[in-house]
């Protein structure tokens, strides 16, 4: 079952193109969810002002198609609501993996990744991150 991130999206829970989709219990994830959930790899703790690498991969749990009629259009990365970066993809010739170097002066909130599939809408995942002095 597709789960929306905000209560306000409950009225359109059946429409995959309304709002942002996410997975609340990865152990219960369907194949559709496994194919679309962006998986974030990042340190759990980082030092203030120091660069660290974040990798976001779509299709890590279950391979997502990568053909002109069905592919991942972009991945965006945020710290809380603070925009960090974006990568656009084309079918066949690029893989839906974003690698970014990030430097945070303070904790903005969780690291959040969004991805957009041309056939299955927008998907989000998040991980905790702590910024130390
Ligand atoms: Fe898809």
């Amino acid at each position: 079952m597709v789960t929306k991130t905000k209560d306000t999206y409950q009225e359109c829970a059946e429409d995959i193109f309304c709002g942002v989709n996410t997975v609340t219990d990865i152990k219960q994830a369907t194949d559709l969810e496994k194919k679309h959930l962006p998986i974030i790899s990042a340190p759990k703790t980082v030092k203030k002002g120091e660069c660290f690498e974040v990798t976001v991969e779509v299709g890590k749990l279950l391979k997502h198609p990568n053909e002109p009629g069905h592919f991942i259009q972009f991945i965006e990365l945020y710290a809380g609501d603070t925009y960090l970066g974006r990568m656009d993809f084309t079918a066949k010739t690029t893989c839906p993996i974003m690698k970014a170097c990030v430097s945070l002066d303070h904790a903005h909130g969780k690291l959040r990744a969004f991805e957009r599939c041309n056939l299955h809408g927008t998907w989000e995942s998040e991980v905790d991150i702590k910024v130390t002095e």
Side-chain angles (χ1 to χ4, degrees):
M1 180 185 135
V2 173
T3 306
K4 303 298 179 179
T5 56
K6 306 267 191 247
D7 288 342
T8 53
Y9 298 144
Q10 291 302 317
E11 66 253 20
C12 53
E14 300 304 315
D15 187 345
I16 204 165
F17 283 101
C18 277
V20 178
N21 305 294
T22 192
V23 177
T24 50
D25 183 0
I26 199 67
K27 291 176 191 145
Q28 306 277 333
T30 64
D31 285 355
L32 179 81
E33 292 169 333
K34 288 177 187 172
K35 285 179 187 175
H36 292 92
L37 192 68
I39 302 299
I40 304 170
S41 300
K44 295 208 177 300
T45 302
V46 296
K47 286 200 169 185
K48 176 182 174 180
E50 286 191 6
C51 288
F52 60 96
E53 189 172 292
V54 178
T55 301
V56 183
E57 183 171 353
V58 179
K60 189 171 185 175
L61 302 176
L62 189 61
K63 192 168 174 52
H64 186 276
N66 191 11
E67 56 202 42
H70 188 193
F71 68 103
I72 304 304
Q73 297 173 301
F74 66 79
I75 295 173
E76 289 185 341
L77 184 64
Y78 290 77
D81 291 330
T82 301
Y83 174 78
L84 298 176
R86 173 187 171 110
M87 186 171 279
D88 292 293
F89 303 97
T90 58
K92 293 180 78 171
T93 52
T94 56
C95 305
I97 301 170
M98 175 182 177
K99 289 180 183 283
C101 293
V102 177
S103 171
L104 299 175
D105 283 342
H106 61 277
H108 295 259
K110 294 183 178 196
L111 279 180
R112 302 164 66 212
F114 294 82
E115 69 91 348
R116 174 79 178 181
C117 168
N118 70 320
L119 287 186
H120 298 108
T122 306
W123 294 74
E124 177 189 10
S125 66
E126 59 185 29
V127 295
D128 290 321
I129 190 159
K130 192 174 188 176
V131 179
T132 62
E133 291 292 322

